[in-house]
Amino acid sequence: MRKTQKFPFRKIFSPSPKSSLKRSRPFKTYSFVPFSPLAMLDPTILTLGGIVLGIAIIERILERWGVIDLVDQFAKVMRFVLAVTFYGAVFYFFATFMF
């Protein structure tokens, strides 16, 4: 029968790591946040916004000229068109947005 050798635990695993390793100096890191207010400057979004603004200005000009019947018809059509345009623009924005 062979004799078993005993090693104390502290001899195998020293309690503190060796401090001979050099610690690297901390450096600055920058995070690129996926959302930026400049993302709203997408040409498609700006074009749709310009069209909506132009339609609103034309409607106000027609109202001042006194063409109330035409303004009324215009408002009925635009109520639907603007809602579809808005939801389409929101869908487009989130579909092309990089998360």
Short mmCIF file of all heavy atoms in Angstrom, two decimals, residues 3-26:
data_model
loop_
_atom_site.label_atom_id
_atom_site.label_comp_id
_atom_site.label_asym_id
_atom_site.label_seq_id
_atom_site.Cartn_x
_atom_site.Cartn_y
_atom_site.Cartn_z
N LYS A 3 1.86 5.20 0.43
CA LYS A 3 1.60 6.24 1.39
C LYS A 3 1.02 7.47 0.67
O LYS A 3 1.54 7.89 -0.36
CB LYS A 3 2.90 6.59 2.09
CG LYS A 3 2.72 7.35 3.34
CD LYS A 3 4.06 7.47 4.03
CE LYS A 3 3.87 8.01 5.40
NZ LYS A 3 5.13 8.22 6.06
N THR A 4 -0.03 8.03 1.18
CA THR A 4 -0.68 9.19 0.58
C THR A 4 -0.02 10.47 1.09
O THR A 4 0.22 10.60 2.28
CB THR A 4 -2.18 9.24 0.96
OG1 THR A 4 -2.71 7.94 0.91
CG2 THR A 4 -2.93 10.10 0.02
N GLN A 5 0.24 11.37 0.15
CA GLN A 5 0.83 12.64 0.55
C GLN A 5 -0.27 13.65 0.81
O GLN A 5 -1.27 13.71 0.11
CB GLN A 5 1.76 13.17 -0.53
CG GLN A 5 3.01 12.37 -0.69
CD GLN A 5 3.93 13.00 -1.72
OE1 GLN A 5 3.49 13.72 -2.59
NE2 GLN A 5 5.22 12.70 -1.61
N LYS A 6 -0.05 14.47 1.79
CA LYS A 6 -1.02 15.51 2.12
C LYS A 6 -0.42 16.87 1.80
O LYS A 6 0.73 17.13 2.14
CB LYS A 6 -1.37 15.45 3.60
CG LYS A 6 -2.13 14.22 3.98
CD LYS A 6 -2.49 14.28 5.43
CE LYS A 6 -3.22 13.02 5.84
NZ LYS A 6 -3.56 13.01 7.25
N PHE A 7 -1.22 17.70 1.15
CA PHE A 7 -0.83 19.08 0.87
C PHE A 7 -1.84 19.99 1.55
O PHE A 7 -3.06 19.82 1.37
CB PHE A 7 -0.86 19.36 -0.64
CG PHE A 7 0.18 18.63 -1.42
CD1 PHE A 7 -0.15 17.55 -2.21
CD2 PHE A 7 1.50 19.04 -1.35
CE1 PHE A 7 0.82 16.89 -2.93
CE2 PHE A 7 2.46 18.38 -2.08
CZ PHE A 7 2.14 17.30 -2.87
N PRO A 8 -1.36 20.93 2.29
CA PRO A 8 -2.31 21.86 2.89
C PRO A 8 -2.97 22.73 1.81
O PRO A 8 -2.35 23.08 0.81
CB PRO A 8 -1.47 22.71 3.84
CG PRO A 8 -0.05 22.47 3.48
CD PRO A 8 0.01 21.20 2.70
N PHE A 9 -4.20 23.03 2.02
CA PHE A 9 -4.99 23.80 1.05
C PHE A 9 -4.36 25.16 0.78
O PHE A 9 -4.31 25.62 -0.36
CB PHE A 9 -6.42 23.94 1.57
CG PHE A 9 -7.33 24.65 0.60
CD1 PHE A 9 -7.86 23.99 -0.49
CD2 PHE A 9 -7.64 25.98 0.78
CE1 PHE A 9 -8.67 24.63 -1.39
CE2 PHE A 9 -8.46 26.63 -0.11
CZ PHE A 9 -8.98 25.96 -1.19
N ARG A 10 -3.88 25.83 1.79
CA ARG A 10 -3.30 27.16 1.63
C ARG A 10 -2.01 27.13 0.82
O ARG A 10 -1.63 28.12 0.21
CB ARG A 10 -3.05 27.78 2.99
CG ARG A 10 -4.33 28.12 3.68
CD ARG A 10 -4.07 28.63 5.07
NE ARG A 10 -5.30 28.60 5.83
CZ ARG A 10 -5.89 29.66 6.30
NH1 ARG A 10 -5.37 30.85 6.12
NH2 ARG A 10 -7.01 29.55 6.96
N LYS A 11 -1.35 26.02 0.81
CA LYS A 11 -0.12 25.93 0.02
C LYS A 11 -0.44 25.82 -1.47
O LYS A 11 0.26 26.36 -2.32
CB LYS A 11 0.68 24.71 0.49
CG LYS A 11 2.03 24.61 -0.16
CD LYS A 11 2.79 23.45 0.42
CE LYS A 11 4.16 23.33 -0.24
NZ LYS A 11 4.89 22.16 0.21
N ILE A 12 -1.52 25.14 -1.80
CA ILE A 12 -1.91 24.97 -3.20
C ILE A 12 -2.55 26.25 -3.75
O ILE A 12 -2.18 26.76 -4.80
CB ILE A 12 -2.88 23.78 -3.35
CG1 ILE A 12 -2.18 22.50 -2.94
CG2 ILE A 12 -3.36 23.68 -4.78
CD1 ILE A 12 -3.10 21.31 -2.88
N PHE A 13 -3.51 26.76 -3.02
CA PHE A 13 -4.21 27.96 -3.44
C PHE A 13 -3.85 29.09 -2.49
O PHE A 13 -4.28 29.12 -1.35
CB PHE A 13 -5.72 27.75 -3.41
CG PHE A 13 -6.17 26.69 -4.36
CD1 PHE A 13 -6.54 25.44 -3.89
CD2 PHE A 13 -6.22 26.92 -5.72
CE1 PHE A 13 -6.96 24.45 -4.75
CE2 PHE A 13 -6.64 25.94 -6.58
CZ PHE A 13 -7.01 24.70 -6.11
N SER A 14 -3.07 30.02 -2.96
CA SER A 14 -2.70 31.13 -2.09
C SER A 14 -3.91 32.04 -1.88
O SER A 14 -4.73 32.21 -2.78
CB SER A 14 -1.54 31.90 -2.69
OG SER A 14 -1.91 32.43 -3.94
N PRO A 15 -4.05 32.64 -0.72
CA PRO A 15 -5.23 33.44 -0.43
C PRO A 15 -5.36 34.72 -1.26
O PRO A 15 -6.44 35.18 -1.53
CB PRO A 15 -5.10 33.77 1.06
CG PRO A 15 -3.67 33.55 1.38
CD PRO A 15 -3.15 32.56 0.40
N SER A 16 -4.26 35.31 -1.66
CA SER A 16 -4.35 36.54 -2.46
C SER A 16 -3.64 36.33 -3.79
O SER A 16 -2.60 35.67 -3.85
CB SER A 16 -3.72 37.71 -1.70
OG SER A 16 -2.35 37.45 -1.50
N PRO A 17 -4.18 36.91 -4.86
CA PRO A 17 -3.51 36.76 -6.15
C PRO A 17 -2.20 37.53 -6.18
O PRO A 17 -2.00 38.49 -5.44
CB PRO A 17 -4.51 37.34 -7.14
CG PRO A 17 -5.36 38.25 -6.34
CD PRO A 17 -5.40 37.69 -4.95
N LYS A 18 -1.32 37.10 -7.03
CA LYS A 18 -0.02 37.75 -7.13
C LYS A 18 -0.20 39.14 -7.73
O LYS A 18 -0.93 39.33 -8.68
CB LYS A 18 0.92 36.92 -7.99
CG LYS A 18 1.25 35.58 -7.37
CD LYS A 18 2.17 34.80 -8.27
CE LYS A 18 2.46 33.45 -7.64
NZ LYS A 18 3.30 32.62 -8.48
N SER A 19 0.49 40.08 -7.17
CA SER A 19 0.36 41.46 -7.65
C SER A 19 1.43 41.81 -8.67
O SER A 19 1.73 42.98 -8.87
CB SER A 19 0.42 42.42 -6.47
OG SER A 19 1.68 42.29 -5.83
N SER A 20 2.00 40.84 -9.29
CA SER A 20 3.05 41.11 -10.27
C SER A 20 2.46 41.59 -11.60
O SER A 20 3.17 42.14 -12.42
CB SER A 20 3.91 39.87 -10.48
OG SER A 20 3.13 38.85 -11.05
N LEU A 21 1.18 41.33 -11.81
CA LEU A 21 0.55 41.77 -13.05
C LEU A 21 0.32 43.27 -13.02
O LEU A 21 -0.12 43.83 -12.02
CB LEU A 21 -0.79 41.05 -13.24
CG LEU A 21 -0.73 39.55 -13.41
CD1 LEU A 21 -2.15 38.99 -13.45
CD2 LEU A 21 0.00 39.19 -14.67
N LYS A 22 0.59 43.93 -14.14
CA LYS A 22 0.36 45.35 -14.23
C LYS A 22 -1.11 45.61 -14.53
O LYS A 22 -1.69 44.94 -15.40
CB LYS A 22 1.20 45.96 -15.35
CG LYS A 22 2.47 46.55 -14.93
CD LYS A 22 3.07 47.30 -16.10
CE LYS A 22 4.26 48.09 -15.67
NZ LYS A 22 4.88 48.76 -16.80
N ARG A 23 -1.67 46.55 -13.85
CA ARG A 23 -3.06 46.91 -14.15
C ARG A 23 -3.07 47.93 -15.27
O ARG A 23 -2.29 48.88 -15.27
CB ARG A 23 -3.73 47.48 -12.92
CG ARG A 23 -3.99 46.45 -11.88
CD ARG A 23 -4.86 47.03 -10.81
NE ARG A 23 -5.17 45.98 -9.86
CZ ARG A 23 -6.06 46.12 -8.91
NH1 ARG A 23 -6.69 47.26 -8.77
NH2 ARG A 23 -6.30 45.14 -8.09
N SER A 24 -3.96 47.73 -16.22
CA SER A 24 -4.04 48.67 -17.33
C SER A 24 -4.75 49.94 -16.85
O SER A 24 -5.62 49.91 -15.99
CB SER A 24 -4.79 48.06 -18.50
OG SER A 24 -6.10 47.75 -18.11
N ARG A 25 -4.35 51.04 -17.44
CA ARG A 25 -4.97 52.31 -17.08
C ARG A 25 -6.38 52.37 -17.66
O ARG A 25 -6.63 51.87 -18.76
CB ARG A 25 -4.15 53.47 -17.63
CG ARG A 25 -2.79 53.54 -16.97
CD ARG A 25 -2.02 54.74 -17.38
NE ARG A 25 -2.36 55.24 -18.71
CZ ARG A 25 -1.75 56.24 -19.31
NH1 ARG A 25 -0.75 56.83 -18.73
NH2 ARG A 25 -2.11 56.64 -20.50
N PRO A 26 -7.31 52.97 -16.94
CA PRO A 26 -8.66 53.08 -17.47
C PRO A 26 -8.70 54.02 -18.68
O PRO A 26 -7.95 54.98 -18.74
CB PRO A 26 -9.47 53.64 -16.30
CG PRO A 26 -8.46 54.30 -15.43
CD PRO A 26 -7.18 53.58 -15.62
#
